């Protein structure tokens, strides 16, 4: 199979709950990105991993957001104490290597709704 | 700061008509430019990309785009639209820093009338 997969596809959380969103990149892909897509908007960069190293987390909106990729493959985006403004689609993308020319392959996203 | 503007939020065309989706960017250096398409419930799919060289680039599904440095534009075109092209289209700039962080426009939603 092999595309990027994400789970769950849909998540409903009550305000204040913690959530964890999973991304399975294409096997062997070095680079992994997380983006947040609010309703009616384009995706916005959250964070970037090269293998297990988180090299850029400049887009994480607050310290409630945390991402990890401990073994350089699967990644988890965790949001603590969710707020209504966290409602969005969270997209994961991977690319075969680092570098500016590489195509990013996107997963279908996880739609998070915070009530 | 880098930014991407897609002036048209929503466009409707008839099947078989030509299409042009506009994209303007703001970037301090030579940009890496991309067009993605997003269908409902699907991930973003790359249509085409521009890095350098020929300013007219061909992509998948019969799409093409032209880079115009003087106008800071990268408009997407298709000569004859099919009903299956109905989707949301995003223009993006790749932020050159060794790992191609993408900055997206807000998107243009395309509807196709039969």
């Amino acid at each position: 199979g092999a595309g990027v997969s994400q789970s769950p596809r849909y998540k409903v959380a009550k305000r204040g709950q913690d959530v964890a969103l999973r991304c399975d990149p294409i096997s062997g892909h070095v680079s992994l990105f997380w983006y947040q897509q609010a309703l009616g908007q384009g995706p916005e960069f959250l964070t970037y991993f090269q293998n297990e190293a988180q090299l850029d987390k400049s887009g994480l909106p607050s310290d409630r957001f945390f991402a990890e990729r401990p073994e350089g493959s699967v990644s988890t985006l965790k949001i603590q104490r969710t707020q209504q403004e966290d409602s969005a689609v969270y997209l994961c993308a991977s690319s075969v290597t680092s570098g500016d020319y590489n195509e990013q392959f996107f997963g279908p996203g996880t739609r998070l709704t915070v009530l | 700061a880098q930014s991407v503007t897609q002036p048209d939020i929503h466009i409707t065309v008839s099947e078989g008509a030509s299409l042009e989706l506009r994209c303007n960017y703001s970037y301090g250096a030579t940009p890496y430019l991309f067009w993605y398409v997003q269908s409902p419930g699907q991930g973003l799919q790359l249509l085409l990309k521009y890095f350098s060289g020929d300013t007219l680039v061909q992509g998948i599904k019969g799409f093409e785009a032209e880079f115009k440095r003087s106008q800071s534009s990268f408009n997407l075109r298709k000569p004859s639209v099919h009903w299956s092209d109905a989707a949301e289209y995003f223009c993006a700039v790749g932020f050159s820093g060794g790992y191609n962080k993408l900055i997206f426009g807000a998107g243009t939603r395309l509807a196709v009338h039969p």
Side-chain angles (χ1 to χ4, degrees):
Chain A
V4 178
S5 60
Q6 294 185 244
S7 60
R9 292 292 311 276
Y10 302 91
K11 177 69 179 178
V12 178
K14 292 183 180 178
R15 190 174 57 177
Q17 284 185 330
D18 298 348
V19 298
L21 312 180
R22 177 186 169 107
C23 172
D24 284 82
I26 295 173
S27 178
H29 276 198
V30 166
S31 293
L32 186 144
F33 302 79
W34 284 99
Y35 293 85
Q36 180 191 57
Q37 185 176 18
L39 187 64
Q41 300 297 317
E44 292 191 359
F45 171 83
L46 292 177
T47 188
Y48 165 71
F49 289 87
Q50 181 178 316
N51 296 308
E52 69 278 5
Q54 189 175 20
L55 299 186
D56 186 341
K57 51 183 181 180
S58 62
L60 296 176
S62 78
D63 59 7
R64 295 186 295 105
F65 287 71
F66 172 76
E68 60 183 4
R69 193 185 185 199
E71 297 179 359
S73 55
V74 171
S75 178
T76 303
L77 176 67
K78 298 179 180 178
I79 309 174
Q80 297 177 323
R81 305 181 304 280
T82 52
Q83 303 295 315
Q84 285 188 322
E85 61 263 28
D86 300 334
S87 295
V89 175
Y90 291 85
L91 296 169
C92 175
S94 69
S95 62
V96 63
T97 66
S98 59
D100 295 331
Y101 299 95
N102 294 290
E103 177 181 352
Q104 291 179 33
F105 296 86
F106 283 81
T110 294
R111 181 177 297 278
L112 173 65
T113 303
V114 181
L115 302 177
Chain B
Q2 299 82 11
S3 65
V4 177
T5 301
Q6 294 181 246
D8 304 305
I9 298 172
H10 196 139
I11 285 182
T12 300
V13 299
S14 297
E15 191 169 17
S18 63
L19 172 70
E20 182 170 28
L21 302 183
R22 295 183 291 164
C23 172
N24 294 94
Y25 66 89
S26 171
Y27 191 70
T30 300
Y32 305 139
L33 295 162
F34 305 81
W35 274 100
Y36 282 86
V37 60
Q38 186 177 41
S39 299
Q42 303 295 315
L44 291 159
Q45 182 183 21
L46 181 67
L47 288 175
L48 45 78
K49 58 189 176 186
Y50 170 79
F51 290 144
S52 64
D54 193 347
T55 57
L56 183 64
V57 294
Q58 303 297 321
I60 62 171
K61 304 185 179 186
F63 285 93
E64 66 177 26
E66 186 172 12
F67 170 59
K68 293 185 177 180
R69 184 186 301 275
S70 62
Q71 299 177 18
S72 297
S73 69
F74 189 56
N75 293 350
L76 182 71
R77 300 194 294 249
K78 187 170 185 178
S80 177
V81 170
H82 187 264
W83 64 267
S84 60
D85 293 324
E88 187 137 27
Y89 291 80
F90 293 95
C91 180
V93 167
F95 179 73
S96 173
Y99 50 91
N100 198 24
K101 174 168 68 177
L102 295 176
I103 300 166
F104 286 88
T108 297
R109 181 166 296 280
L110 174 67
V112 180
H113 278 328

